[in-house]
Amino acid sequence: MEANVVVIGGTGFIGSHIVAKLSAEGADVLVPTRREEHGRHLLALPRVDVVEADVQDDAALRGLLQGRGRTAVINLVGVLHSHPGQPYGPEFARAHVELPRRIVAACAAGGVARYLHMSALGAAADGPSMYLRSKADGELAARSNPAVSPTIFRPSVVFGPDDHFINLFAALQRRLPVLPLACADARFQPVFVEDVAQAFVDALSLPQTRGQVVELAGPKIYTLEEIVRLAGSATGHPRPIVALPPALARIQAFLLEHMPGTPLMSRDNLDSMRRDNVLAPNTQALVAEDLGIPPTALEAVAPHYTGRLRNDEFRSRAGR
């Protein structure tokens, strides 16, 4: 692959898989990060550079993109929580809307024509949560300059080693004798991180993805309760699950979002789950199969899932 790609958010869970695939296909990859130690696990990969840079600084952002033969930028930056605001909180606005708008402007100034943008399945201007509304405005920001050709990705919940979803419920079941669960009947269509990474990498060389939306989901729909039970069984700590009624779920989320540290759950998370996180039967977007990627089922991976495997060991056991 003849590509020179800047991956913003490349040190995280999904980003690390994308960077590894780009490296394996011979691309030159630059990963900016606020702290170089966050990207230490990427330094052994061929043709990958990790640099300290504040992508929220316009001058630093332009410097990353100009004059080095960059061919594309991938933006994976996202946050799950924000203080309330209208129509969404400042953290969502900064990460999901302002940053992509500034990245696209920097791409146009630096002559970088391709921009791959991470959104979310269910993103909509009239979405039930601040998160989903901010993701919708982020998609508009991704299309804000005609000199830059975006591809927008909308994944369902992403699973794999070091994910922050299934691992959370596995950890809770290791610690708690009973698991009280909000929105137990919420529906998801989990997508394997390797499939998401492959979709991003393939899109760089597929002209039909330019200007398009790609929705990513696995082959099967699960309720949240089914996912939690699968996580408990796969990690050897199945627990009884108590589905909370809406009023108690909201009280639980309120208490959790006011605890010190990163919230395990917020009221905005509950609002997001009011809308099924699954592919619409009549979706007009591209899907993984359109890119030649057969989606991997959660059940195919779960027997090998411990939440503590290295990425390479996880892929090997999952037959990837």
Side-chain angles (χ1 to χ4, degrees), residues 18-51:
I18 292 175
V19 170
K21 281 193 178 294
L22 286 169
S23 172
E25 299 212 6
D28 293 310
V29 186
L30 180 69
V31 182
T33 178
R34 274 182 170 269
R35 293 187 175 182
E36 190 173 356
E37 60 264 29
H38 293 167
R40 187 175 298 144
H41 61 292
L42 302 174
L43 294 175
L45 295 172
R47 305 168 73 98
V48 173
D49 289 324
V50 177
V51 297

Side-chain angles (χ1 to χ4, degrees), residues 9 41 72 88 93 108 124 126 129 136 141 153 159 219 221 232 250 253 290 293 305:
H41 61 292
Y88 38 76
D126 63 348
S129 67
F153 294 84
F159 68 91
I221 295 172
R250 202 133 194 105
D290 295 324
I293 303 169
Y305 199 107

Side-chain angles (χ1 to χ4, degrees), residues 6 8 60-70 72-73 103 106-107 110-112:
V6 177
I8 298 173
L61 187 57
R62 288 194 300 269
L64 293 169
L65 304 187
Q66 291 179 341
R68 293 177 174 84
R70 310 295 186 207
V73 175
I103 292 172
C107 284
V112 181

Side-chain angles (χ1 to χ4, degrees), residues 23 48 59 114 133 162 166 176 181 218 226 230 238 267 296 298 306 315:
S23 172
V48 173
R114 287 290 277 131
R133 293 192 295 273
D162 302 319
I166 295 177
L176 300 176
L181 186 65
E226 288 171 335
L230 196 58
R267 287 168 291 176
T296 305
L298 176 58
T306 70
R315 288 195 295 269

Side-chain angles (χ1 to χ4, degrees), residues 4 14 22-23 27 31 38 40 93 123 143 187 209 245 249 255 285 287 290 312:
N4 188 323
I14 298 173
L22 286 169
S23 172
V31 182
H38 293 167
R40 187 175 298 144
R143 301 181 185 275
R187 299 199 309 157
T209 65
L255 295 173
V287 294
D290 295 324
D312 55 349

Side-chain angles (χ1 to χ4, degrees), residues 137-184:
D137 280 353
E139 293 186 8
L140 294 177
R143 301 181 185 275
S144 61
N145 195 303
V148 180
S149 179
T151 301
I152 294 168
F153 294 84
R154 296 175 183 161
S156 184
V157 61
V158 181
F159 68 91
D162 302 319
D163 70 47
H164 302 296
F165 185 72
I166 295 177
N167 273 310
L168 168 63
F169 291 113
L172 289 173
Q173 289 178 89
R174 283 196 293 269
R175 294 178 174 86
L176 300 176
V178 177
L179 188 64
L181 186 65
C183 299

